[in-house]
Amino acid sequence: MTQDRPVFGIVLMLGFCLLAPLGDAMAKLLGETTPIGMLVWVRFAVQAIVLIPLVALSDRSFRMRGRILRLTFIRTILHIVGIAAMFSALKFLPLADAVAIAFVMPFIMLILGKYVLDEVVGIRRLIACTVGFVGTLMVIQPSFAQVGAAALLPLVVALVFALFMLVTRKIAKETDPVALQAVSGIMATVLLLPVLVLGTVGGVWELSLIPPMGEGHYLLIAIGLLGTVAHLFMTWSLRYAPSATLAPMQYLEIPVATLFGWLIFHDLPDGIAALGIAITIAAGLYVILRERASARSAPTETPA
């Protein structure tokens, strides 16, 4: 599909930026009474249930072999760990803080690209990464003073999802994104079920198959639906608009998360955290703009 409908692509990305923080807010609501393992398992089970018919009806293929299958398995494990770490972080941190800290991920990807994939990264982007890390530490500091090491969980999310994106890059051109998400949902559901059964039998509460009470069932299903639809929106947006156009828009997740945090939990970042969020966003947008400028000037100029 050609990238000839940028406005539609932007609308889809806006949908992602709205739905993803809303799903996180629901996970935070349920996290106090529902085991993290249960939340994550239902998240992937709903993904599989929604996407399997979509793949079948659209004549896509579930078939994966060799290298693609192995990388998809690794990607699925990373996805499980990343979502579990985010849901765990939301038990301790305000929604906006957790989302903002996790946005250190673009800087981690840039560093991994330079030192793992031998990509050319100029000094100005490395400085922007350093500034972004400083902004992130400003968000972490007040939360760390209150909840301790749990404030570092979003950094785990950022690192895991940076690796997740690197693996996704390796297979993106060789797999259909919807089929990839469907297979990942199936894998995660199958992998997590025996772990949760053992956790239930062994009395490990966070790894137990304990459903929420009352209307929590609807929230649990909504978490899976919102996560699935949000990532489909993000995937499809890239078919209609270039990534250079869409990447800056992802930072809208932070103010949207701040809004939901205020409306639902009456939480707002304090002064230091708010300044750190602003610095992180500014540094991230600078990195994106430098990436865009470097892409336009290649191969005649060295990226800066």
Side-chain angles (χ1 to χ4, degrees):
M1 184 178 297
T2 57
Q3 296 177 346
D4 57 355
R5 299 175 63 187
V7 174
F8 187 52
I10 289 170
V11 170
L12 289 171
M13 182 57 77
L14 286 173
F16 169 80
C17 292
L18 176 66
L19 295 181
L22 181 58
D24 288 339
M26 291 185 177
K28 182 173 176 64
L29 280 172
L30 280 181
E32 296 181 1
T33 58
T34 306
I36 296 299
M38 185 71 181
L39 292 176
V40 177
W41 183 67
V42 173
R43 160 68 179 80
F44 282 103
V46 171
Q47 177 176 312
I49 291 169
V50 170
L51 295 183
I52 286 172
L54 185 58
V55 172
L57 292 173
S58 59
D59 294 325
R60 292 176 168 91
S61 175
F62 290 101
R63 248 178 232 179
M64 291 181 180
R65 295 178 181 174
R67 169 180 162 274
I68 298 298
L69 183 60
R70 289 192 296 272
L71 288 175
T72 300
F73 180 80
I74 294 170
R75 180 182 182 273
T76 300
I77 296 295
L78 291 170
H79 204 179
I80 292 171
V81 173
I83 290 179
M86 188 62 179
F87 286 177
S88 298
L90 291 170
K91 293 181 65 174
F92 303 98
L93 300 177
L95 179 62
D97 289 11
V99 171
I101 295 168
F103 261 86
V104 77
M105 183 189 75
F107 310 129
I108 294 175
M109 286 188 67
L110 203 66
I111 298 300
L112 289 174
K114 177 176 177 61
Y115 293 106
V116 177
L117 302 180
D118 293 324
E119 295 177 349
V120 178
V121 179
I123 186 64
R124 280 182 282 183
R125 276 183 284 176
L126 290 176
I127 292 173
C129 284
T130 303
V131 173
F133 278 118
V134 170
T136 302
L137 290 175
M138 293 173 66
V139 183
I140 291 174
Q141 188 275 327
S143 297
F144 189 85
Q146 293 179 7
V147 302
L152 302 178
L153 281 170
L155 290 179
V156 176
V157 176
L159 176 59
V160 169
F161 273 106
L163 296 171
F164 172 87
M165 292 302 294
L166 289 178
V167 174
T168 302
R169 280 185 188 178
K170 293 287 187 181
I171 59 177
K173 294 182 180 180
E174 303 173 61
T175 58
D176 177 82
V178 177
L180 176 62
Q181 288 292 91
V183 172
S184 184
I186 296 168
M187 282 184 174
T189 304
V190 172
L191 287 170
L192 285 170
L193 185 57
V195 174
L196 297 182
V197 170
L198 290 174
T200 303
V201 173
V204 182
W205 189 80
E206 288 290 7
L207 295 177
S208 298
L209 285 167
I210 301 175
M213 302 295 291
E215 295 182 355
H217 289 88
Y218 300 111
L219 284 178
L220 192 58
I221 295 171
I223 290 170
L225 289 174
L226 287 169
T228 301
V229 175
H231 281 86
L232 282 177
F233 278 3
M234 181 176 64
T235 300
W236 283 334
S237 70
L238 293 168
R239 292 191 163 205
Y240 293 99
S243 59
T245 300
L246 299 173
M249 296 182 57
Q250 287 187 273
Y251 281 87
L252 288 173
E253 275 193 73
I254 298 178
V256 171
T258 303
L259 176 62
F260 284 138
W262 175 62
L263 290 175
I264 300 172
F265 307 103
H266 309 293
D267 288 332
L268 282 174
D270 65 17
I272 294 176
L275 179 59
I277 289 173
I279 291 172
T280 301
I281 292 174
L285 292 176
Y286 177 82
V287 168
I288 291 169
L289 291 173
R290 289 306 310 167
E291 292 277 2
R292 184 185 301 178
S294 298
R296 283 199 301 262
S297 62
T300 58
E301 297 181 17
T302 300

